[in-house]
């Protein structure tokens, strides 16, 4: 890849978010010629969503057999494995004068209601909860003057 000031990777850098996959992606990032590397999770990074994983470990693992080998401590803070980048999850950073807000959310039918990417897609069905909608609307109000919004979906 050619040199650049900022690389913005907006999700789906693993198959399931396994620690080994995150480490491999982190190693790849470390070799890229960018001054800043900013990453958000996508719906494939299952282990980045602690709430989803807590529900998953209580269920049958037929959909995600590789996850069944994980212990809670294996994915407790998997984001910390991204040492070669700035990881954003409902947070922002200012880089080279640009305010960048990153969130693992997908727009729902191109309307204002949204869900976190990994929660809705990984579970196989859309779950709307009032608290998620309220949380999303609160975040939108806080980021109205951003220069760049990094999101998984369009």
């Amino acid at each position: 890849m050619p040199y650049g000031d900022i690389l913005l990777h907006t999700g789906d850098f693993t198959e399931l978010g396994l620690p080994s996959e995150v480490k491999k992606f982190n190693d790849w990032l470390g070799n890229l010629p960018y001054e800043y590397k900013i990453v958000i999770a996508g719906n494939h990074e299952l282990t980045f969503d602690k709430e989803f994983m807590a529900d998953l470990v209580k269920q049958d693992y037929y959909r995600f057999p590789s996850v069944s080998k994980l212990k809670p401590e294996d994915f407790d803070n998997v984001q910390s494995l991204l040492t070669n980048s700035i990881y954003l999850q409902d947070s922002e950073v200012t880089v080279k004068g640009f305010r960048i807000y990153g969130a693992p959310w997908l727009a729902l039918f191109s309307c204002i209601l949204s869900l976190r990417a990994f929660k809705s897609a990984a579970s196989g069905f859309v779950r709307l909860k009032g608290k998620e909608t309220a949380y999303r609307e609160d975040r939108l109000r806080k980021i109205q003057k951003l220069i760049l919004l990094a999101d998984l979906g369009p």
Side-chain angles (χ1 to χ4, degrees):
M1 294 178 67
Y3 171 79
D5 293 324
I6 302 171
L7 171 71
L8 186 59
H9 196 294
T10 56
D12 293 351
F13 48 88
T14 69
E15 187 175 337
L16 294 172
L18 300 174
S20 59
E21 296 172 326
V22 176
K23 288 176 187 176
K24 183 176 179 180
F25 174 71
N26 186 63
D27 291 344
W28 176 75
L29 281 175
N31 291 316
L32 295 179
Y34 293 88
E35 188 175 350
Y36 295 94
K37 300 151 194 166
I38 299 170
V39 173
I40 67 167
N43 57 295
H44 286 259
E45 285 72 59
L46 302 180
T47 57
F48 284 58
D49 186 357
K50 292 179 185 182
E51 190 176 319
F52 173 78
M53 289 301 295
D55 289 343
L56 183 64
V57 296
K58 297 174 189 172
Q59 301 171 14
D60 186 1
Y61 291 102
Y62 73 95
R63 290 186 59 202
F64 308 106
S66 298
V67 175
S68 67
K69 300 173 188 167
L70 293 176
K71 299 175 185 79
E73 58 270 15
D74 292 334
F75 56 82
D76 186 43
N77 194 17
V78 73
Q79 302 92 318
S80 67
L81 299 174
L82 294 174
T83 58
N84 291 318
S85 66
I86 299 167
Y87 177 69
L88 299 178
Q89 183 169 321
D90 298 324
S91 57
E92 70 177 71
V93 66
T94 300
V95 175
K96 294 196 168 272
F98 293 96
R99 280 185 61 211
I100 304 167
Y101 182 87
W105 292 81
L106 279 175
L108 180 62
F109 307 118
S110 301
C111 67
I112 191 69
L113 295 176
S114 299
L115 297 172
R116 275 191 282 187
F118 39 70
K119 181 171 284 186
S120 62
S123 63
F125 59 94
V126 174
R127 294 186 292 173
L128 277 176
K129 294 181 182 177
K131 68 178 185 175
E132 290 175 345
T133 302
Y135 179 77
R136 175 65 168 166
E137 290 171 356
D138 178 58
R139 284 293 180 192
L140 287 173
R141 280 191 294 278
K142 290 179 181 178
I143 62 172
Q144 287 179 356
K145 296 182 180 181
L146 280 181
I147 293 176
L148 179 61
L149 171 64
D151 205 329
L152 179 67

